Amino acid sequence: MYLCLCKGITESDVREAGQEGIVMPGQLKAKFGLKDAGCCGRCSRNIHEFVEIATATHHLPSSNSVRN
Ligand code: FES
């Protein structure tokens, strides 16, 4: 599902950011360029959706990081 149509940002893009530890609104806006010229601002207003997705992913155990 697209979270930002202007930039073509999908849920999985935001999950990847969450896995990298990018979960704060300011970090997410900077990473995805949501303050850039040309953005309509819709997803900036809905940044809580980005944060929820990124945070949920950040707290999931990553199968890549488990090395026993
Ligand atoms: S929908 Fe994200 S800037 Fe327009």
Side-chain angles (χ1 to χ4, degrees):
M1 188 184 103
Y2 281 102
L3 291 173
C4 173
L5 291 176
C6 298
K7 295 198 169 267
I9 301 167
T10 63
E11 265 187 54
S12 71
D13 293 329
V14 176
R15 277 197 285 269
E16 277 177 27
Q19 283 169 356
E20 294 167 16
I22 300 171
V23 296
M24 301 302 287
Q27 293 175 313
L28 288 160
K29 285 182 188 181
K31 173 166 176 69
F32 293 113
L34 301 185
K35 293 175 175 172
D36 294 355
C39 289
C40 70
R42 188 189 74 84
C43 50
S44 256
R45 284 194 300 276
N46 294 331
I47 193 69
H48 63 277
E49 290 179 17
F50 286 65
V51 172
E52 279 172 21
I53 293 166
T55 304
T57 307
H58 188 53
H59 291 303
L60 287 178
S62 164
S63 57
N64 293 333
S65 66
V66 177
R67 303 212 190 284
N68 288 328

